[in-house]
Amino acid sequence: SICREIMKLGTPAGLQMLLEVGAFSGSSTLVSRLGAVDLAVHQIVLQAASFSFMKPIIPSVAHVPFSRVRVWGGSLSRTVELCRFRRQSTRPRSDAIRGVALQYTSPPTAPTGDLMTDLVLTVQGSARAELAPERATVRFTIASDGPDRAPVVTAVTAALTAVTDELGTRATSGTLESWSVDQLSVGAQRPWTNDGTQAPLVHRASATGRVVLDSPEGAAGLVDALAAHTLVSIDAVEWTLTDASLSSAYAEVRERSVADAVAKATVLATAAGRSAVTAVALADPGMLDGSSPGHSPQPRFEKSMAMAMDAGGVGGFSLRPQPIIIEVDVDARFTAR
């Protein structure tokens, strides 16, 4: 049988290997009787000898899966395939020798035509949009301080009353979308001087407010009116979009970022001599390979808070809002045939 033929070939090879390894091991046992130094020198020589025949043995071992062993048994010869490579394009044929079915396959060939593997392309698409703001949010503070508590509280209370009356009138006329003012807070502290001593007690009263306008055009007039009060300071003017416009803009920019990824993948596939691409995965940046979403970058949304002021005549000025920038990146993976 085929097993006996393999044993006839393998047994001498195994005995040869046993004698070879046994000779090296026996020599080490004999040298160990001479002393530690002699044994160490012997081991160094064995390592050098082992390393010397690694160069011829490596290609011989690597060639084994691709070679055929010819077995001779009297007048009968046969070829036994040690490592079979099967491809869809090859047609295996069988032969019966001594009642044993042996299967033969052709060696693997270079993939051509339909057997070419799909080309995997990983790209990042990006898109950006600049939109004119639709709302303005004005943040302000009413504050005063002094050595006596009563005058400070009285001054801030009077300014707060005047500001709330002004905002109430504008809200009634429909020029404001919403407004709010925090409750008056009063505190005191002794500041430290440069020589390390504490200054006399200083009392401070303050209140903060927020006004939302449904049109950016009214921001300049509101800022001018609030700044007319002595104790009022403008903290910031923020330009934003409505929720509906922001959602619509994000959806449009995301679509454009995916289209940009498809265009990049198409260019790469064409350069590699492949045809149309097929999307197999889309993800936010950093999540394509299963990363944690908590560490992935989010779509970028910039709100302009700077006030660009131009002279607008006597006693007034104009505000030029900066455009709102939305940037979206998407990681994409494609295959191309």
Side-chain angles (χ1 to χ4, degrees):
S1 66
I2 188 65
C3 294
R4 285 197 295 270
E5 297 293 339
I6 294 176
M7 290 296 295
K8 287 173 60 177
L9 179 66
T11 301
L15 291 176
Q16 183 271 337
M17 184 65 69
L18 176 62
L19 293 176
E20 181 180 354
V21 175
F24 283 107
S25 301
S27 63
S28 299
T29 303
L30 295 175
V31 174
S32 64
R33 299 174 175 273
L34 302 178
V37 176
D38 299 304
L39 180 60
V41 173
H42 177 68
Q43 290 296 327
I44 293 174
V45 173
L46 285 183
Q47 292 296 331
S50 300
F51 184 77
S52 65
F53 70 80
M54 292 300 276
K55 184 175 181 180
I57 201 173
I58 288 175
S60 65
V61 173
H63 184 65
V64 167
F66 303 97
S67 63
R68 296 178 178 180
V69 180
R70 195 163 185 82
V71 183
W72 295 88
S75 61
L76 180 65
S77 64
R78 77 197 75 170
T79 301
V80 181
E81 187 77 19
L82 295 182
C83 185
R84 302 189 185 100
F85 294 91
R86 298 178 180 176
R87 304 191 64 85
Q88 295 179 358
S89 61
T90 60
R91 295 183 178 180
R93 53 190 176 88
S94 61
D95 188 16
I97 301 177
R98 293 183 181 178
V100 180
L102 300 179
Q103 188 171 359
Y104 301 85
T105 58
S106 302
T109 57
T112 58
D114 294 337
L115 296 179
M116 293 180 65
T117 59
D118 291 343
L119 177 65
V120 179
L121 304 171
T122 303
V123 298
Q124 184 177 83
S126 59
R128 170 189 172 103
E130 294 186 3
L131 305 174
E134 300 174 337
R135 309 163 92 185
T137 302
V138 179
R139 302 181 185 275
F140 63 91
T141 300
I142 306 172
S144 178
D145 51 29
D148 298 323
R149 183 177 185 277
V152 170
V153 174
T154 301
V156 174
T157 302
L160 182 59
T161 302
V163 169
T164 53
D165 292 342
E166 174 74 20
L167 297 178
T169 302
R170 289 176 176 267
T172 303
S173 63
T175 58
L176 303 183
E177 181 177 320
S178 63
W179 65 276
S180 62
V181 176
D182 295 337
Q183 199 171 25
L184 179 67
S185 62
V186 181
Q189 63 175 352
R190 293 181 180 272
W192 292 91
T193 62
N194 294 332
D195 57 3
T197 60
Q198 283 188 302
L201 191 65
V202 176
H203 297 272
R204 177 178 175 82
S206 63
T208 58
R210 173 177 174 271
V211 183
V212 179
L213 298 91
D214 54 6
S215 175
E217 287 76 13
L222 177 63
V223 170
D224 197 12
L226 292 176
H229 299 278
T230 307
L231 302 182
V232 177
S233 61
I234 306 299
D235 298 329
V237 178
E238 301 176 1
W239 312 103
T240 58
L241 298 171
T242 61
D243 294 340
S245 297
L246 184 60
S247 300
S248 176
Y250 267 134
E252 188 268 338
V253 176
R254 286 183 189 276
E255 291 180 0
R256 286 169 46 198
S257 65
V258 173
D260 181 63
V262 173
K264 291 180 179 179
T266 303
V267 171
L268 295 177
T270 303
R274 301 301 180 96
S275 59
V277 298
T278 302
V280 296
L282 293 174
D284 288 335
M287 296 180 60
L288 192 58
D289 296 321
S291 300
S292 173
H295 300 284
S296 62
Q298 299 298 319
R300 182 179 175 189
F301 172 54
E302 295 182 356
K303 297 189 301 182
S304 176
M305 298 179 60
M307 293 185 293
M309 303 182 185
D310 289 335
V314 179
F317 60 89
S318 63
L319 297 177
R320 289 187 291 108
Q322 299 294 324
I324 296 175
I325 301 173
I326 298 177
E327 292 182 346
V328 175
D329 296 328
V330 60
D331 288 346
R333 184 164 293 157
F334 299 86
T335 58
R337 290 187 176 274

